[in-house]
Amino acid sequence: LAKTTQPISMDSYEGQEVNITCSHNNIATNDYITWYQQFPSQGPRFIIQGYKTKVTNEVASLFIPADRKSSTLSLPRVSLSDTAVYYCLVESPYSSASKIIFGSGTRLSIRP
Amino acid sequence: GAVVSQHPSRVICKSGTSVKIECRSLDFQATTMFWYRQFPKQSLMLMATSNEGSKATYEQGVEKDKFLINHASLTLSTLTVTSAHPEDSSFYICSANPLDPFNSTDTQYFGPGTRLTVL
């Protein structure tokens, strides 16, 4: 299982773009990178998933360099409601039995 | 998207009693479900892998006789905390992966969590 490393915490302001980088040096060939968001007393919520290059959806973008040893979650124009913990995970989506291990996550605080 | 539910959402019990937490996949079948525990200000810690029709696989350091897991159907897994003590108070979360064969990027879906408080 690939271990992930992220900054413990980040602060930003409303309207700014926030980039959270995660390192996963031991990622396997078939692994995907997934980011989850968790609010207090709730289960994690899927944000975005990618394999390589760039993926964009309605809430975020995910940038993955060619060596795939890191990834960057980009949140455009954050608001107060984006204050949460963000987890970067490495998953093998080809097996429903493939367990995932959570790292420390990044506690993002957005200020007015 | 896929939905995973948990019941109850919160429970308070006396020390020494047992508590059962249910995890259901509402619109898909899951041969495998996962149980996590999360203490305040900490990350999720994987406790065990629940396998339909067979024994659960526990992570190192997790007592299988204390945390009983039953995966009786393709949509339901239960976690029973036996002889609960105050140190078992935590947030318990389950997850499952629909594994859609037509969608290679399917991922884990998490339940809303169950807050257990042992007095």
Side-chain angles (χ1 to χ4, degrees):
Chain A
L1 295 172
K3 179 181 177 182
T4 60
T5 304
Q6 323 172 213
I8 296 295
S9 64
M10 291 182 68
D11 296 323
S12 188
Y13 293 91
E14 281 191 294
Q16 298 296 306
E17 177 185 79
V18 171
N19 296 310
I20 306 174
T21 297
C22 174
S23 65
H24 27 78
N25 292 317
N26 298 322
I27 189 169
T29 302
N30 293 331
D31 287 341
Y32 280 69
I33 299 140
T34 311
W35 285 79
Y36 292 88
Q37 175 192 57
Q38 186 183 28
F39 296 113
S41 296
Q42 294 186 27
R45 184 177 73 99
F46 172 88
I47 300 176
I48 197 166
Q49 185 181 69
Y51 184 80
K52 62 181 180 180
T53 62
K54 177 183 176 181
V55 179
T56 297
N57 61 22
E58 62 275 9
V59 298
S61 293
L62 179 59
F63 299 91
I64 306 168
D67 66 5
R68 302 195 334 116
K69 293 186 176 183
S70 67
S71 60
T72 299
L73 174 71
S74 181
L75 304 173
R77 299 182 60 79
V78 293
S79 64
L80 295 176
S81 63
D82 292 316
T83 294
V85 178
Y86 292 81
Y87 293 98
C88 160
L89 299 171
V90 172
E91 293 188 81
S92 177
Y94 298 102
S95 169
S96 64
S98 179
K99 62 183 180 182
I100 54 176
I101 303 299
F102 281 78
S104 62
T106 297
R107 190 170 298 273
L108 176 65
S109 298
I110 305 300
R111 301 175 182 177
Chain B
V3 177
V4 174
S5 71
Q6 285 184 238
H7 178 79
S9 58
R10 59 177 61 234
V11 56
I12 301 173
C13 69
K14 293 182 179 180
S15 185
T17 60
S18 295
V19 174
K20 179 185 287 188
I21 303 170
E22 294 184 348
C23 176
R24 292 182 185 272
S25 54
L26 297 185
D27 50 1
F28 66 95
Q29 294 182 333
T31 56
T32 304
M33 293 183 177
F34 300 94
W35 286 96
Y36 299 83
R37 180 168 53 180
Q38 185 175 35
F39 293 108
K41 304 288 187 181
Q42 295 187 23
S43 182
L44 283 77
M45 184 190 78
L46 179 65
M47 298 176 67
T49 302
S50 174
N51 304 299
E52 189 269 335
S54 65
K55 292 182 179 180
T57 305
Y58 292 82
E59 295 299 302
Q60 190 173 9
V62 178
E63 300 176 57
K64 62 179 181 180
D65 294 330
K66 180 168 184 62
F67 298 99
L68 301 179
I69 292 174
N70 184 281
H71 196 147
S73 77
L74 289 172
T75 59
L76 173 65
S77 174
T78 60
L79 169 67
T80 301
V81 183
T82 63
S83 188
H85 289 93
E87 56 265 31
D88 298 322
S89 297
S90 189
F91 192 54
Y92 292 85
I93 304 170
C94 68
S95 75
N97 187 333
L99 193 61
D100 181 350
F102 300 102
N103 182 358
S104 63
T105 58
D106 233 335
T107 185
Q108 293 286 333
Y109 290 88
F110 290 84
T114 297
R115 174 76 58 194
L116 170 63
T117 303
V118 184
L119 302 176

PDB file of all heavy atoms in Angstrom, chain A residues 43-77:
ATOM      1  N   GLY A  43     -18.873  11.274   7.413  1.00  0.00           N
ATOM      2  CA  GLY A  43     -17.977  10.396   6.687  1.00  0.00           C
ATOM      3  C   GLY A  43     -17.290  11.142   5.556  1.00  0.00           C
ATOM      4  O   GLY A  43     -17.781  12.173   5.095  1.00  0.00           O
ATOM      5  N   PRO A  44     -16.139  10.652   5.100  1.00  0.00           N
ATOM      6  CA  PRO A  44     -15.455  11.307   3.973  1.00  0.00           C
ATOM      7  C   PRO A  44     -16.322  11.312   2.725  1.00  0.00           C
ATOM      8  O   PRO A  44     -17.107  10.394   2.482  1.00  0.00           O
ATOM      9  CB  PRO A  44     -14.213  10.422   3.768  1.00  0.00           C
ATOM     10  CG  PRO A  44     -13.987   9.762   5.081  1.00  0.00           C
ATOM     11  CD  PRO A  44     -15.369   9.526   5.632  1.00  0.00           C
ATOM     12  N   ARG A  45     -16.157  12.359   1.935  1.00  0.00           N
ATOM     13  CA  ARG A  45     -16.916  12.521   0.700  1.00  0.00           C
ATOM     14  C   ARG A  45     -15.954  12.602  -0.471  1.00  0.00           C
ATOM     15  O   ARG A  45     -14.976  13.344  -0.434  1.00  0.00           O
ATOM     16  CB  ARG A  45     -17.771  13.777   0.781  1.00  0.00           C
ATOM     17  CG  ARG A  45     -18.699  14.023  -0.402  1.00  0.00           C
ATOM     18  CD  ARG A  45     -19.543  15.272  -0.145  1.00  0.00           C
ATOM     19  NE  ARG A  45     -18.754  16.493  -0.257  1.00  0.00           N
ATOM     20  CZ  ARG A  45     -18.719  17.283  -1.321  1.00  0.00           C
ATOM     21  NH1 ARG A  45     -19.389  16.942  -2.410  1.00  0.00           N
ATOM     22  NH2 ARG A  45     -17.984  18.393  -1.337  1.00  0.00           N
ATOM     23  N   PHE A  46     -16.235  11.854  -1.517  1.00  0.00           N
ATOM     24  CA  PHE A  46     -15.393  11.831  -2.715  1.00  0.00           C
ATOM     25  C   PHE A  46     -15.362  13.202  -3.366  1.00  0.00           C
ATOM     26  O   PHE A  46     -16.389  13.852  -3.535  1.00  0.00           O
ATOM     27  CB  PHE A  46     -15.942  10.789  -3.693  1.00  0.00           C
ATOM     28  CG  PHE A  46     -15.296  10.791  -5.043  1.00  0.00           C
ATOM     29  CD1 PHE A  46     -14.159  10.039  -5.274  1.00  0.00           C
ATOM     30  CD2 PHE A  46     -15.823  11.529  -6.095  1.00  0.00           C
ATOM     31  CE1 PHE A  46     -13.558  10.010  -6.526  1.00  0.00           C
ATOM     32  CE2 PHE A  46     -15.236  11.517  -7.346  1.00  0.00           C
ATOM     33  CZ  PHE A  46     -14.100  10.757  -7.559  1.00  0.00           C
ATOM     34  N   ILE A  47     -14.154  13.657  -3.726  1.00  0.00           N
ATOM     35  CA  ILE A  47     -14.017  14.915  -4.461  1.00  0.00           C
ATOM     36  C   ILE A  47     -13.636  14.657  -5.898  1.00  0.00           C
ATOM     37  O   ILE A  47     -14.313  15.092  -6.838  1.00  0.00           O
ATOM     38  CB  ILE A  47     -12.936  15.824  -3.833  1.00  0.00           C
ATOM     39  CG1 ILE A  47     -13.264  16.175  -2.392  1.00  0.00           C
ATOM     40  CG2 ILE A  47     -12.804  17.104  -4.662  1.00  0.00           C
ATOM     41  CD1 ILE A  47     -12.168  16.984  -1.729  1.00  0.00           C
ATOM     42  N   ILE A  48     -12.520  13.958  -6.108  1.00  0.00           N
ATOM     43  CA  ILE A  48     -11.991  13.788  -7.454  1.00  0.00           C
ATOM     44  C   ILE A  48     -11.019  12.622  -7.473  1.00  0.00           C
ATOM     45  O   ILE A  48     -10.424  12.280  -6.435  1.00  0.00           O
ATOM     46  CB  ILE A  48     -11.307  15.096  -7.925  1.00  0.00           C
ATOM     47  CG1 ILE A  48     -11.109  15.112  -9.437  1.00  0.00           C
ATOM     48  CG2 ILE A  48     -10.000  15.333  -7.174  1.00  0.00           C
ATOM     49  CD1 ILE A  48     -10.745  16.501  -9.979  1.00  0.00           C
ATOM     50  N   GLN A  49     -10.886  12.019  -8.638  1.00  0.00           N
ATOM     51  CA  GLN A  49      -9.961  10.907  -8.806  1.00  0.00           C
ATOM     52  C   GLN A  49      -9.264  11.024 -10.144  1.00  0.00           C
ATOM     53  O   GLN A  49      -9.869  11.459 -11.132  1.00  0.00           O
ATOM     54  CB  GLN A  49     -10.701   9.571  -8.719  1.00  0.00           C
ATOM     55  CG  GLN A  49      -9.810   8.337  -8.763  1.00  0.00           C
ATOM     56  CD  GLN A  49     -10.621   7.053  -8.708  1.00  0.00           C
ATOM     57  OE1 GLN A  49     -11.330   6.713  -9.643  1.00  0.00           O
ATOM     58  NE2 GLN A  49     -10.518   6.333  -7.599  1.00  0.00           N
ATOM     59  N   GLY A  50      -7.986  10.613 -10.171  1.00  0.00           N
ATOM     60  CA  GLY A  50      -7.265  10.661 -11.437  1.00  0.00           C
ATOM     61  C   GLY A  50      -6.148   9.650 -11.496  1.00  0.00           C
ATOM     62  O   GLY A  50      -5.740   9.087 -10.458  1.00  0.00           O
ATOM     63  N   TYR A  51      -5.655   9.435 -12.695  1.00  0.00           N
ATOM     64  CA  TYR A  51      -4.535   8.510 -12.899  1.00  0.00           C
ATOM     65  C   TYR A  51      -3.276   9.262 -13.334  1.00  0.00           C
ATOM     66  O   TYR A  51      -2.187   9.012 -12.813  1.00  0.00           O
ATOM     67  CB  TYR A  51      -4.892   7.458 -13.948  1.00  0.00           C
ATOM     68  CG  TYR A  51      -3.820   6.418 -14.134  1.00  0.00           C
ATOM     69  CD1 TYR A  51      -3.701   5.352 -13.238  1.00  0.00           C
ATOM     70  CD2 TYR A  51      -2.923   6.498 -15.190  1.00  0.00           C
ATOM     71  CE1 TYR A  51      -2.705   4.404 -13.393  1.00  0.00           C
ATOM     72  CE2 TYR A  51      -1.922   5.552 -15.357  1.00  0.00           C
ATOM     73  CZ  TYR A  51      -1.821   4.507 -14.465  1.00  0.00           C
ATOM     74  OH  TYR A  51      -0.829   3.576 -14.612  1.00  0.00           O
ATOM     75  N   LYS A  52      -3.435  10.165 -14.277  1.00  0.00           N
ATOM     76  CA  LYS A  52      -2.305  10.959 -14.718  1.00  0.00           C
ATOM     77  C   LYS A  52      -2.783  12.270 -15.336  1.00  0.00           C
ATOM     78  O   LYS A  52      -3.977  12.462 -15.560  1.00  0.00           O
ATOM     79  CB  LYS A  52      -1.436  10.203 -15.716  1.00  0.00           C
ATOM     80  CG  LYS A  52      -2.157   9.826 -16.993  1.00  0.00           C
ATOM     81  CD  LYS A  52      -1.232   9.061 -17.934  1.00  0.00           C
ATOM     82  CE  LYS A  52      -1.968   8.681 -19.219  1.00  0.00           C
ATOM     83  NZ  LYS A  52      -1.073   7.925 -20.145  1.00  0.00           N
ATOM     84  N   THR A  53      -1.881  13.155 -15.576  1.00  0.00           N
ATOM     85  CA  THR A  53      -2.087  14.496 -16.157  1.00  0.00           C
ATOM     86  C   THR A  53      -3.094  15.292 -15.346  1.00  0.00           C
ATOM     87  O   THR A  53      -2.875  15.553 -14.183  1.00  0.00           O
ATOM     88  CB  THR A  53      -2.497  14.411 -17.644  1.00  0.00           C
ATOM     89  OG1 THR A  53      -3.738  13.720 -17.781  1.00  0.00           O
ATOM     90  CG2 THR A  53      -1.429  13.681 -18.432  1.00  0.00           C
ATOM     91  N   LYS A  54      -4.189  15.712 -15.960  1.00  0.00           N
ATOM     92  CA  LYS A  54      -5.108  16.611 -15.275  1.00  0.00           C
ATOM     93  C   LYS A  54      -6.527  16.114 -15.376  1.00  0.00           C
ATOM     94  O   LYS A  54      -6.966  15.639 -16.425  1.00  0.00           O
ATOM     95  CB  LYS A  54      -5.005  18.011 -15.881  1.00  0.00           C
ATOM     96  CG  LYS A  54      -5.978  19.027 -15.289  1.00  0.00           C
ATOM     97  CD  LYS A  54      -5.864  20.370 -16.000  1.00  0.00           C
ATOM     98  CE  LYS A  54      -6.907  21.367 -15.481  1.00  0.00           C
ATOM     99  NZ  LYS A  54      -6.829  22.662 -16.184  1.00  0.00           N
ATOM    100  N   VAL A  55      -7.236  16.215 -14.275  1.00  0.00           N
ATOM    101  CA  VAL A  55      -8.647  15.885 -14.225  1.00  0.00           C
ATOM    102  C   VAL A  55      -9.375  17.071 -13.615  1.00  0.00           C
ATOM    103  O   VAL A  55      -8.903  17.657 -12.646  1.00  0.00           O
ATOM    104  CB  VAL A  55      -8.906  14.618 -13.379  1.00  0.00           C
ATOM    105  CG1 VAL A  55     -10.391  14.309 -13.313  1.00  0.00           C
ATOM    106  CG2 VAL A  55      -8.125  13.434 -13.929  1.00  0.00           C
ATOM    107  N   THR A  56     -10.504  17.403 -14.188  1.00  0.00           N
ATOM    108  CA  THR A  56     -11.288  18.523 -13.655  1.00  0.00           C
ATOM    109  C   THR A  56     -12.748  18.124 -13.554  1.00  0.00           C
ATOM    110  O   THR A  56     -13.276  17.473 -14.444  1.00  0.00           O
ATOM    111  CB  THR A  56     -11.146  19.762 -14.560  1.00  0.00           C
ATOM    112  OG1 THR A  56      -9.780  20.182 -14.573  1.00  0.00           O
ATOM    113  CG2 THR A  56     -11.985  20.916 -14.031  1.00  0.00           C
ATOM    114  N   ASN A  57     -13.378  18.501 -12.451  1.00  0.00           N
ATOM    115  CA  ASN A  57     -14.823  18.340 -12.335  1.00  0.00           C
ATOM    116  C   ASN A  57     -15.415  19.649 -11.829  1.00  0.00           C
ATOM    117  O   ASN A  57     -14.730  20.679 -11.817  1.00  0.00           O
ATOM    118  CB  ASN A  57     -15.196  17.140 -11.456  1.00  0.00           C
ATOM    119  CG  ASN A  57     -14.703  17.257 -10.030  1.00  0.00           C
ATOM    120  OD1 ASN A  57     -14.430  18.354  -9.533  1.00  0.00           O
ATOM    121  ND2 ASN A  57     -14.581  16.120  -9.362  1.00  0.00           N
ATOM    122  N   GLU A  58     -16.641  19.608 -11.398  1.00  0.00           N
ATOM    123  CA  GLU A  58     -17.321  20.845 -11.045  1.00  0.00           C
ATOM    124  C   GLU A  58     -16.813  21.465  -9.747  1.00  0.00           C
ATOM    125  O   GLU A  58     -17.107  22.627  -9.464  1.00  0.00           O
ATOM    126  CB  GLU A  58     -18.834  20.610 -10.951  1.00  0.00           C
ATOM    127  CG  GLU A  58     -19.252  19.609  -9.891  1.00  0.00           C
ATOM    128  CD  GLU A  58     -19.187  18.176 -10.370  1.00  0.00           C
ATOM    129  OE1 GLU A  58     -18.662  17.924 -11.474  1.00  0.00           O
ATOM    130  OE2 GLU A  58     -19.652  17.291  -9.621  1.00  0.00           O
ATOM    131  N   VAL A  59     -16.060  20.741  -8.964  1.00  0.00           N
ATOM    132  CA  VAL A  59     -15.614  21.290  -7.693  1.00  0.00           C
ATOM    133  C   VAL A  59     -14.103  21.460  -7.578  1.00  0.00           C
ATOM    134  O   VAL A  59     -13.628  22.252  -6.761  1.00  0.00           O
ATOM    135  CB  VAL A  59     -16.107  20.436  -6.508  1.00  0.00           C
ATOM    136  CG1 VAL A  59     -17.610  20.422  -6.454  1.00  0.00           C
ATOM    137  CG2 VAL A  59     -15.559  19.024  -6.572  1.00  0.00           C
ATOM    138  N   ALA A  60     -13.334  20.723  -8.360  1.00  0.00           N
ATOM    139  CA  ALA A  60     -11.885  20.770  -8.175  1.00  0.00           C
ATOM    140  C   ALA A  60     -11.154  20.306  -9.431  1.00  0.00           C
ATOM    141  O   ALA A  60     -11.764  19.787 -10.363  1.00  0.00           O
ATOM    142  CB  ALA A  60     -11.485  19.871  -7.002  1.00  0.00           C
ATOM    143  N   SER A  61      -9.848  20.522  -9.408  1.00  0.00           N
ATOM    144  CA  SER A  61      -8.965  19.976 -10.433  1.00  0.00           C
ATOM    145  C   SER A  61      -7.876  19.176  -9.736  1.00  0.00           C
ATOM    146  O   SER A  61      -7.503  19.470  -8.591  1.00  0.00           O
ATOM    147  CB  SER A  61      -8.319  21.098 -11.260  1.00  0.00           C
ATOM    148  OG  SER A  61      -9.291  21.786 -12.024  1.00  0.00           O
ATOM    149  N   LEU A  62      -7.398  18.181 -10.442  1.00  0.00           N
ATOM    150  CA  LEU A  62      -6.339  17.325  -9.908  1.00  0.00           C
ATOM    151  C   LEU A  62      -5.216  17.272 -10.927  1.00  0.00           C
ATOM    152  O   LEU A  62      -5.445  16.909 -12.078  1.00  0.00           O
ATOM    153  CB  LEU A  62      -6.887  15.921  -9.632  1.00  0.00           C
ATOM    154  CG  LEU A  62      -5.912  14.881  -9.101  1.00  0.00           C
ATOM    155  CD1 LEU A  62      -5.296  15.338  -7.782  1.00  0.00           C
ATOM    156  CD2 LEU A  62      -6.628  13.550  -8.924  1.00  0.00           C
ATOM    157  N   PHE A  63      -4.027  17.651 -10.485  1.00  0.00           N
ATOM    158  CA  PHE A  63      -2.864  17.658 -11.352  1.00  0.00           C
ATOM    159  C   PHE A  63      -1.913  16.549 -10.924  1.00  0.00           C
ATOM    160  O   PHE A  63      -1.525  16.478  -9.753  1.00  0.00           O
ATOM    161  CB  PHE A  63      -2.147  19.014 -11.283  1.00  0.00           C
ATOM    162  CG  PHE A  63      -3.010  20.162 -11.723  1.00  0.00           C
ATOM    163  CD1 PHE A  63      -3.786  20.863 -10.803  1.00  0.00           C
ATOM    164  CD2 PHE A  63      -3.074  20.531 -13.058  1.00  0.00           C
ATOM    165  CE1 PHE A  63      -4.590  21.923 -11.200  1.00  0.00           C
ATOM    166  CE2 PHE A  63      -3.870  21.586 -13.462  1.00  0.00           C
ATOM    167  CZ  PHE A  63      -4.629  22.279 -12.538  1.00  0.00           C
ATOM    168  N   ILE A  64      -1.532  15.712 -11.879  1.00  0.00           N
ATOM    169  CA  ILE A  64      -0.649  14.592 -11.592  1.00  0.00           C
ATOM    170  C   ILE A  64       0.502  14.624 -12.586  1.00  0.00           C
ATOM    171  O   ILE A  64       0.272  14.503 -13.795  1.00  0.00           O
ATOM    172  CB  ILE A  64      -1.401  13.248 -11.702  1.00  0.00           C
ATOM    173  CG1 ILE A  64      -2.653  13.269 -10.796  1.00  0.00           C
ATOM    174  CG2 ILE A  64      -0.490  12.086 -11.324  1.00  0.00           C
ATOM    175  CD1 ILE A  64      -3.604  12.127 -11.049  1.00  0.00           C
ATOM    176  N   PRO A  65       1.751  14.764 -12.111  1.00  0.00           N
ATOM    177  CA  PRO A  65       2.882  14.808 -13.042  1.00  0.00           C
ATOM    178  C   PRO A  65       3.144  13.434 -13.639  1.00  0.00           C
ATOM    179  O   PRO A  65       2.575  12.436 -13.214  1.00  0.00           O
ATOM    180  CB  PRO A  65       4.036  15.251 -12.134  1.00  0.00           C
ATOM    181  CG  PRO A  65       3.646  14.789 -10.770  1.00  0.00           C
ATOM    182  CD  PRO A  65       2.151  14.912 -10.716  1.00  0.00           C
ATOM    183  N   ALA A  66       4.020  13.416 -14.619  1.00  0.00           N
ATOM    184  CA  ALA A  66       4.276  12.189 -15.367  1.00  0.00           C
ATOM    185  C   ALA A  66       4.790  11.048 -14.483  1.00  0.00           C
ATOM    186  O   ALA A  66       4.434   9.889 -14.706  1.00  0.00           O
ATOM    187  CB  ALA A  66       5.286  12.466 -16.486  1.00  0.00           C
ATOM    188  N   ASP A  67       5.584  11.359 -13.470  1.00  0.00           N
ATOM    189  CA  ASP A  67       6.107  10.274 -12.631  1.00  0.00           C
ATOM    190  C   ASP A  67       5.095   9.780 -11.597  1.00  0.00           C
ATOM    191  O   ASP A  67       5.338   8.776 -10.922  1.00  0.00           O
ATOM    192  CB  ASP A  67       7.411  10.696 -11.950  1.00  0.00           C
ATOM    193  CG  ASP A  67       7.217  11.820 -10.936  1.00  0.00           C
ATOM    194  OD1 ASP A  67       6.061  12.215 -10.685  1.00  0.00           O
ATOM    195  OD2 ASP A  67       8.216  12.315 -10.410  1.00  0.00           O
ATOM    196  N   ARG A  68       3.996  10.483 -11.455  1.00  0.00           N
ATOM    197  CA  ARG A  68       2.871  10.122 -10.566  1.00  0.00           C
ATOM    198  C   ARG A  68       3.268   9.991  -9.106  1.00  0.00           C
ATOM    199  O   ARG A  68       2.525   9.403  -8.314  1.00  0.00           O
ATOM    200  CB  ARG A  68       2.215   8.824 -11.046  1.00  0.00           C
ATOM    201  CG  ARG A  68       1.714   8.893 -12.452  1.00  0.00           C
ATOM    202  CD  ARG A  68       0.749   7.815 -12.899  1.00  0.00           C
ATOM    203  NE  ARG A  68       0.819   6.558 -12.214  1.00  0.00           N
ATOM    204  CZ  ARG A  68      -0.173   6.060 -11.477  1.00  0.00           C
ATOM    205  NH1 ARG A  68      -1.286   6.743 -11.322  1.00  0.00           N
ATOM    206  NH2 ARG A  68      -0.030   4.888 -10.908  1.00  0.00           N
ATOM    207  N   LYS A  69       4.386  10.519  -8.724  1.00  0.00           N
ATOM    208  CA  LYS A  69       4.808  10.400  -7.331  1.00  0.00           C
ATOM    209  C   LYS A  69       4.229  11.500  -6.456  1.00  0.00           C
ATOM    210  O   LYS A  69       4.485  11.541  -5.235  1.00  0.00           O
ATOM    211  CB  LYS A  69       6.331  10.396  -7.258  1.00  0.00           C
ATOM    212  CG  LYS A  69       6.943   9.149  -7.888  1.00  0.00           C
ATOM    213  CD  LYS A  69       8.440   9.087  -7.678  1.00  0.00           C
ATOM    214  CE  LYS A  69       8.991   7.782  -8.242  1.00  0.00           C
ATOM    215  NZ  LYS A  69      10.439   7.629  -8.009  1.00  0.00           N
ATOM    216  N   SER A  70       3.489  12.382  -7.047  1.00  0.00           N
ATOM    217  CA  SER A  70       2.812  13.411  -6.272  1.00  0.00           C
ATOM    218  C   SER A  70       1.550  13.812  -7.023  1.00  0.00           C
ATOM    219  O   SER A  70       1.364  13.441  -8.181  1.00  0.00           O
ATOM    220  CB  SER A  70       3.710  14.634  -6.072  1.00  0.00           C
ATOM    221  OG  SER A  70       3.932  15.286  -7.308  1.00  0.00           O
ATOM    222  N   SER A  71       0.706  14.545  -6.337  1.00  0.00           N
ATOM    223  CA  SER A  71      -0.490  15.080  -6.979  1.00  0.00           C
ATOM    224  C   SER A  71      -0.885  16.358  -6.254  1.00  0.00           C
ATOM    225  O   SER A  71      -0.527  16.554  -5.085  1.00  0.00           O
ATOM    226  CB  SER A  71      -1.639  14.065  -6.969  1.00  0.00           C
ATOM    227  OG  SER A  71      -1.992  13.714  -5.642  1.00  0.00           O
ATOM    228  N   THR A  72      -1.596  17.214  -6.959  1.00  0.00           N
ATOM    229  CA  THR A  72      -2.031  18.475  -6.368  1.00  0.00           C
ATOM    230  C   THR A  72      -3.517  18.664  -6.588  1.00  0.00           C
ATOM    231  O   THR A  72      -3.990  18.635  -7.725  1.00  0.00           O
ATOM    232  CB  THR A  72      -1.266  19.665  -6.977  1.00  0.00           C
ATOM    233  OG1 THR A  72       0.128  19.519  -6.705  1.00  0.00           O
ATOM    234  CG2 THR A  72      -1.754  20.980  -6.375  1.00  0.00           C
ATOM    235  N   LEU A  73      -4.213  18.833  -5.492  1.00  0.00           N
ATOM    236  CA  LEU A  73      -5.644  19.154  -5.536  1.00  0.00           C
ATOM    237  C   LEU A  73      -5.776  20.660  -5.589  1.00  0.00           C
ATOM    238  O   LEU A  73      -5.207  21.367  -4.750  1.00  0.00           O
ATOM    239  CB  LEU A  73      -6.343  18.617  -4.290  1.00  0.00           C
ATOM    240  CG  LEU A  73      -7.816  19.009  -4.131  1.00  0.00           C
ATOM    241  CD1 LEU A  73      -8.676  18.276  -5.154  1.00  0.00           C
ATOM    242  CD2 LEU A  73      -8.297  18.732  -2.713  1.00  0.00           C
ATOM    243  N   SER A  74      -6.516  21.160  -6.551  1.00  0.00           N
ATOM    244  CA  SER A  74      -6.714  22.588  -6.693  1.00  0.00           C
ATOM    245  C   SER A  74      -8.185  22.923  -6.490  1.00  0.00           C
ATOM    246  O   SER A  74      -9.046  22.405  -7.201  1.00  0.00           O
ATOM    247  CB  SER A  74      -6.244  23.064  -8.065  1.00  0.00           C
ATOM    248  OG  SER A  74      -6.412  24.458  -8.198  1.00  0.00           O
ATOM    249  N   LEU A  75      -8.447  23.784  -5.519  1.00  0.00           N
ATOM    250  CA  LEU A  75      -9.808  24.239  -5.238  1.00  0.00           C
ATOM    251  C   LEU A  75      -9.909  25.699  -5.668  1.00  0.00           C
ATOM    252  O   LEU A  75      -9.273  26.573  -5.085  1.00  0.00           O
ATOM    253  CB  LEU A  75     -10.114  24.119  -3.746  1.00  0.00           C
ATOM    254  CG  LEU A  75      -9.944  22.741  -3.123  1.00  0.00           C
ATOM    255  CD1 LEU A  75     -10.118  22.812  -1.611  1.00  0.00           C
ATOM    256  CD2 LEU A  75     -10.942  21.765  -3.715  1.00  0.00           C
ATOM    257  N   PRO A  76     -10.697  25.980  -6.698  1.00  0.00           N
ATOM    258  CA  PRO A  76     -10.780  27.354  -7.195  1.00  0.00           C
ATOM    259  C   PRO A  76     -11.724  28.193  -6.343  1.00  0.00           C
ATOM    260  O   PRO A  76     -12.784  27.718  -5.946  1.00  0.00           O
ATOM    261  CB  PRO A  76     -11.333  27.178  -8.605  1.00  0.00           C
ATOM    262  CG  PRO A  76     -12.155  25.941  -8.517  1.00  0.00           C
ATOM    263  CD  PRO A  76     -11.488  25.051  -7.505  1.00  0.00           C
ATOM    264  N   ARG A  77     -11.323  29.402  -6.030  1.00  0.00           N
ATOM    265  CA  ARG A  77     -12.196  30.346  -5.356  1.00  0.00           C
ATOM    266  C   ARG A  77     -12.908  29.710  -4.159  1.00  0.00           C
ATOM    267  O   ARG A  77     -14.116  29.524  -4.161  1.00  0.00           O
ATOM    268  CB  ARG A  77     -13.207  30.934  -6.332  1.00  0.00           C
ATOM    269  CG  ARG A  77     -12.573  31.694  -7.476  1.00  0.00           C
ATOM    270  CD  ARG A  77     -13.658  32.293  -8.378  1.00  0.00           C
ATOM    271  NE  ARG A  77     -14.524  33.216  -7.642  1.00  0.00           N
ATOM    272  CZ  ARG A  77     -14.225  34.472  -7.331  1.00  0.00           C
ATOM    273  NH1 ARG A  77     -13.030  34.972  -7.685  1.00  0.00           N
ATOM    274  NH2 ARG A  77     -15.072  35.234  -6.668  1.00  0.00           N
TER     275      ARG A  77
END
